[in-house]
Each structure stands twice: as C-alpha cells, then as structure tokens.
Amino acid sequence: MAENMHYDAIVVGSGISGGWAAKELTERGLKVLMLERGRNIEHLTDYVHAENEAWNYPHRGTATVEMKDNYPVLSRDYPLNEQTFGMWANEQENPYTEAKRFDWFRGYHVGGRSLMWGRQTYRLSDTDFGANEREGIATDWPIRYADIAPWYDHVERFAGISGTNEGLDILPDGQFLPPIPLNIVEKDVAARLRNAFGGKRYLINSRVANITEALPDQNRVACQYRNKCWLGCPYGAYFSTQSATLPAAIATGNLTLRPFSIVKEVLYDKDTKRATGVEIIDAETNMTYEYTANVVFLNASSFNSTWVLMNSATDVWEGGLGSSSGELGHNVMDHHFRVGAEGRVEGYDDKYYFGRRPAGFYIPRFRNTEGEERPYTRGFGYQGSASRQGWRRDIAELNIGADMKEALSKPGDWTIGMTGFGEMLPYHDNFIALDRGTTDKWGLPVLSISVDLRENEMRMREDMKQDAVDIFEAAGVVDVKPTESDYAPGMGIHEMGTARMGCDAATSVLNGNNQVWDAPNVYVTDGACMTSGACVNPSLTYMALTARAAEHAVTALKNGDL
C-alpha cells in the first residue's frame, strides 16, 4: 500500500472517546492514525434524514417486518426504525452470543454512537469515586474527583454543555452554557418539590451537550429546538465526533482517518513489554495490514476495546493482553432504568411552550447520602419532562369524524413523567468472554455476554418506583401512577467495565492513567475503564479521562517513558 504504516499514535475507534483522543493527541503534535471498523459519515452531507418528518418515510418511520427479522436485538427497543436505519451495526455480520440476555446496541461507523447518544452529561462526584473503597466493593478507583475535575472543565468548555450550577456535592457543577429552560409546569413542580422535602430533593435543568450559544470557532450554531438530534444535526448544535473533535483534529494536519478497518489485535513485544502497533482487517477487501506506533489508544467502545485486548498477546497470556489480574472481561455494568411514575398536572390549560426541546429535567441522587441507609447500596437519579398531550392522544368520547379532528387540533392535558437511572454494582461474574465457536463475517470470534441484575438493584428499583410516585404527589401532580416496563442489561446503552482502572496490577487491568499494566503504552479510555458506574450518564467522564490520558501519553513519550 502506498501509505504511511508508522504513526506516533494509533486511536482505535472514532466515537465519543476516540474523537477526543484524536483531538488531544494531534493538537499536542503527534501524528495520529484513527481506525474505524465501519463506514465514514461526513458531517452535514451524510445526515440523510436530518430534515425528514414521519410522513416522509414509507412506513411513517416505524420498523418493518423485514427489519425486525434482520435485527432481532435492535427490535427489542426504540433504536430500530426507518429514521435511523443503517446507523446501527449489522447484526447478521456482527453477531454476539447471549449467555444471559444483553441488549447490545452498537454503532459501527465514523462517529459511532456520538451521533445517536442522549447527550445527558453529568460529572461523577467524590462520593462516586470513593464508594468502592468506602463500602468494600470490588476495587478502589485509583483517582478521586480532584484528579479529574480540571479535565471535566476542559472538555465541557470545548464540547458545549448547557446547564445550571446548583451547588450540590452529589452532582458537581461545571462549565455551563445557559440551560435549555424548564417549561412552566416543570418550574412550578421544582419549587413545590424543594418545599415539600425541605430542600433535600431538587428538580433541575437537564445538563446536555446541546449548545445554547453559537461556537463560531467550531462552526457550530446554537440548538434550534428541533429535537431531531439522533438523525444528525446540520447545525452542529450537539456535541459529536463529526461536529467538534474530528474537525479540530483534522485542522492540525496530523490526523489520518481510515474507515473500514477492523482492528484484530494489538501487536505486543514481550521483550520490551510494549505494544508495537495493531493488525487490522480491511472490512471491504479482507486484506490484513499492520500499522506501528509508539502509543495505542483503545476507544472502540467498552466491549470491543476489551475484545481487542482478549485477542492480543495470547502467546504470553492465555486470556489476552491485560488479563494477568484475572479481571479482563469482568465487572460489566449498565444503568438500570425504565421504572418511575407519571401523572397529570392541572391548572395550566392557558399555558404552552414553543419548540421541541432536546432536554427536560433531572432529579439528582438523594438516596444513601448523608448517612442514610436503605436496604441497598448506591442510588439513582431521575430524567423526565412535562408536556401537553398532542394529536396522538385518545379521546374516549370521540373516535371518528370532524369533531375528533377538531379536538385533536387543540393541545390536551399537561402530563409529566420520569424514569429512574440506577447504579449497577461491579460484579465479577457479570462478564464478557470470547466465543470461539461463533464467528463474524470476517471469521473473528464473537463475544459471549453474561450479565444480570442482582438483589441490590432489584431492591433499588422498588425505591425508584415509589419515590417517583411520592415526589409527584408531593408536588401536586394528580392521577399519579407508577410505571415500569421491560428492562434488560444493555438497554441503557451505558455498558461499562471489563477493563477497569485500579490501584494495583493484581486487581485491575489499568492504572490511574488508563494505561494497561502489562503494556504501559496502551491506553484504554472508553467505558471499559470504569471501576464503578455511579448513577449518572457516563460519557462526560469518558471524555475527561481521555483528555487526561492523552496529556499523560504525550508527556511520557517526550520523557522517553514509553
């Protein structure tokens, strides 16, 4: 091939953390090769459905029978539909084995799930980083909030996070753009909630990666309130690889992007105890190539980064590179959700709102804080919104005709609802492993996944339901009822763990700088590195850890430590 085969650094994966790795490394002067297993998606031009409405699709945007047959996992939830079809991994070409049910929703293309994420962005707190040590669970984080706080600042300023500073220890404040406003009902419910619980429970603005002020240096325009984020934003109003980190990396002149590149393994020199590069399979031609580098960043998503490690250096460690502790592949976590409450809000029939917000409200964790003891450990937060019912609502006394059409042209009742997002503990026997008896389109072994909820999470879900009812009733919501729908691990699309950080090589895969203990020039900074999951959305933490690790890698290279 007439191309460079050696780089200062290789970044595997182009999603949220991979984009940050490429940006930070190139801006610090390294020549970087970014490898993505799927196709390229160009910013703006390849957002083919960004302007479409439901009526522009043959089946009004819903999933067809053929789609359900070909995508049995995606069909379990909302990701399978005409609007985003083609944006999720092909399940026939990329199967996996479910030893226990796990809904694995993957995005194999440039940008990964940064093009489709929910954009909720919250910091982990000192409570979260110290929880494992304090409670004697799993292993201790090798860092604390103070270590990562400056990097939260760094990534928030660049990504553009809208929100409000609240002064809550359990949910640290950040570098925020003006918030996406609460509507009139949410504001009043927030005030009632604070009064009802003596200032112990708060309803605040969602903190989201949607910019509310233009960032002209990034060529990004403020959010237009279209709420079509997962179709690709032609304004660049939400943070993604394509809108933010990739353009920054390209602008340096130091980035080479290679799509259709499936990383088969990290190449390892057992004499120097360092990685020398990676071997890839070209997804289009099936040809194999080797690229060498001084440092490798694995950002292929939690499970796929671990898959790469499991396939690497097997002549040295049977379980793969990073397996010497016995923890590689273990301690899978997700956020369990789909339990909460809903109800009606009276007295606002003369009030409405404008636009389609891509956000709502957030209720931070309030359980098992300040010495409280519930029959479970850790806690949960709520995400929700209030709105007026629209034309899809049922009108019992009308089912056909002009009167029904007239009624549906007017806004219906105000309703409010929310779902809890609870922390899952890092159990060693929630794990992924190679299934060498099953292969993908390219003849590579697939992952077998075995994850389930335990008693701690099931007890927590009872509080997640009852507390939601109590909150709404205390805030004057009427006809309140608990809600609970099907949940299986993976549905939160927050898979974490499998290559956790730790304080020593005997109990963890990575050190406090996200380096693989067994190969210090290999960094893992996506969700695989998480030692515990907290109850907040994790992507902001991946960004911060990635930026932090990139600085460490560049400094270490300059000092000759790698």
Side-chain angles (χ1 to χ4, degrees), residues 371-386:
E372 180 192 43
E373 293 186 6
R374 302 297 296 169
Y376 53 86
T377 189
R378 311 293 165 91
F380 52 88
Y382 291 106
Q383 297 177 25
S385 65

Side-chain angles (χ1 to χ4, degrees), residues 97-138:
T97 303
E98 294 177 276
K100 296 179 181 177
R101 178 181 168 183
F102 192 95
D103 296 3
W104 191 17
F105 302 151
R106 300 159 287 170
Y108 290 167
H109 50 254
V110 172
R113 290 177 299 191
S114 79
L115 290 175
M116 302 173 289
W117 66 311
R119 306 165 312 286
Q120 299 276 329
T121 45
Y122 305 97
R123 298 185 179 201
L124 271 67
S125 69
D126 229 10
T127 297
D128 298 316
F129 284 110
N132 280 2
E133 180 189 39
R134 187 171 57 252
E135 298 164 1
I137 291 174

Side-chain angles (χ1 to χ4, degrees), residues 6 60 202 226 243 248 257 272 280 287 353 371 380 455 502 549-550:
H6 179 78
R60 300 299 185 263
Y202 298 83
R226 301 163 70 242
S243 71
L257 171 62
T272 62
I280 74 160
M287 296 288 290
Y353 44 82
F380 52 88
E455 184 178 358

